[in-house]
Amino acid sequence: MTSPDLYFIKQQFTLGAYPALLSISLPDHSSPDYIPALLYKVRAHLALGDNTSALALLPTDTENIALRAAAALARGEQGLETLRDLCVEIEADEDSEEWEKETVQVLAATAFVRAGEIEEALETLRGEGKIGDEPAALLSQVYLSLARPALAQKVLAPALKANPDALVLQHAESAISLVTGSQGEPYAPALSFYNEQVANPSISSAALLVGRAVVRILRGELSPAQSDLEEAESILSRAKCEQGSSDMLAAMVVAAGLSTKKGEADQLWSRLLKQYPSHPLVADIGAKELLFDEFASKFEVPPRA
């Protein structure tokens, strides 16, 4: 049974309210909520790209497998072997709780995806028997990244049937609907999810607003999308949290470009290039530019008739 305080922390993490989560004090060391709450704080730092702060929170002499997995993820490629060992260890581990084992799976799979080891991530998450909520959600997202929405839905459906109120599963389901669309009103499941969560007064999440802005861009609702993005920027600015602004900037570029605001779009693109040169949108556009240049170099303009 999750305590109300821990549920709140988990909710903040799941909905991307990382700066708000980091401002919450940890419970007493003797509390059963201490390690789960610490893990969410560590993972919030990792989600924001602040590996140093994540490692600073973690004890160096812990025997807890989930904390060890978090430390390994924070070490990047240097921690991959440790994560592989932990994935083997949890198979015979009878002392750790199920949520700790699932956390190891999720953190290890995250590291494998970052390292480009997609097949290894899939094997880690699939496991045997019933798949937990967070592993199922992450597995569905990996399948989406491989352009396999049917497999993503197949993984998610039984988990949602067993636990329809799980936020992490609802969030994953909304992502699938962004890829597949929906019958009737365009992207209705995703819009419904984001509207409901944004309206929650206990959540102040730039990630939620960026997510809803993306849905609105897909629906052609550019003015409301830009309003969401401006509000997201305000949240991050108040929290002095620039690390969380990469997806917001990318969405701003798209919204401004579709609104035919070329000057604004160019300025935003320059910011994205300078601040986040490894962002997927930058990488995608860069690859397309190289491909265009390659084909252009092979094209000979015929002489004028």
Side-chain angles (χ1 to χ4, degrees):
M1 188 75 173
T2 302
S3 72
D5 289 342
L6 184 58
Y7 176 83
F8 180 71
I9 290 172
K10 181 179 180 180
Q11 180 188 51
Q12 299 287 315
F13 177 82
T14 302
L15 298 178
Y18 305 126
L21 191 163
L22 293 174
S23 69
I24 299 172
S25 299
L26 287 170
D28 187 82
H29 282 68
S30 62
S31 168
D33 289 348
Y34 177 75
I35 288 180
L38 175 61
L39 272 167
Y40 282 120
K41 272 209 164 192
V42 168
R43 293 176 67 184
H45 279 300
L46 293 174
L48 292 171
D50 189 358
N51 292 17
T52 301
S53 295
L55 283 169
L57 282 175
L58 289 164
T60 57
D61 57 348
T62 182
E63 294 295 320
N64 183 278
I65 55 171
L67 293 179
R68 287 158 59 198
L73 176 59
R75 288 195 291 271
E77 291 194 3
Q78 294 179 351
L80 289 178
E81 284 305 317
T82 298
L83 287 165
R84 291 185 178 107
D85 292 341
L86 286 171
C87 287
V88 173
E89 183 178 329
I90 61 175
E91 293 178 3
D93 188 349
E94 297 181 355
D95 296 325
S96 300
E97 296 183 38
E98 196 61 33
W99 72 265
E100 293 172 312
K101 296 178 184 180
E102 290 178 5
T103 300
V104 171
Q105 287 180 296
V106 168
L107 297 180
T110 300
F112 298 149
V113 168
R114 289 180 176 181
E117 302 291 346
I118 305 300
E119 187 59 38
E120 191 169 9
L122 291 173
E123 291 176 2
T124 300
L125 293 168
R126 282 192 291 243
E128 297 180 3
K130 179 180 176 292
I131 303 176
D133 290 348
E134 195 172 3
L138 181 55
L139 181 56
S140 73
Q141 302 311 291
V142 177
Y143 279 133
L144 278 186
S145 74
L146 299 173
R148 303 295 298 274
L151 282 176
Q153 187 61 57
K154 184 178 179 181
V155 165
L156 207 60
L160 270 168
K161 184 177 180 180
N163 192 6
D165 295 329
L167 274 179
V168 70
L169 298 177
Q170 294 176 5
H171 203 174
E173 184 182 37
S174 73
I176 293 175
S177 77
L178 288 180
V179 175
T180 61
S182 58
Q183 295 180 348
E185 186 181 356
Y187 309 104
L191 185 61
S192 176
F193 171 80
Y194 284 112
N195 281 340
E196 180 181 352
Q197 302 309 323
V198 168
N200 187 336
S202 67
I203 298 291
S204 177
S205 169
L208 279 178
L209 288 161
V210 172
R212 186 169 70 174
V214 170
V215 179
R216 286 174 160 172
I217 289 170
L218 289 169
R219 288 164 58 93
E221 301 169 357
L222 298 180
S223 181
Q226 288 172 323
S227 295
D228 278 343
L229 293 169
E230 289 169 4
E231 188 177 348
E233 187 172 34
S234 176
I235 289 173
L236 292 173
S237 177
R238 290 196 302 270
K240 299 180 181 179
C241 181
E242 293 185 1
Q243 301 102 313
S245 64
S246 59
D247 289 338
M248 178 198 72
L249 267 178
M252 283 179 163
V253 170
V254 175
L258 291 173
S259 302
T260 65
K261 300 177 180 178
K262 187 177 185 307
E264 182 181 340
D266 288 344
Q267 290 179 354
L268 290 166
W269 178 248
S270 296
R271 280 179 61 191
L272 186 64
L273 278 174
K274 182 179 179 181
Q275 294 177 230
Y276 306 101
S278 61
H279 190 276
L281 180 62
V282 175
D284 183 58
I285 297 298
K288 286 181 170 63
E289 286 179 342
L290 290 174
L291 192 61
F292 178 85
D293 291 343
E294 179 186 345
F295 281 102
S297 68
K298 298 175 182 177
F299 179 78
E300 294 183 9
V301 179
R304 303 181 80 176

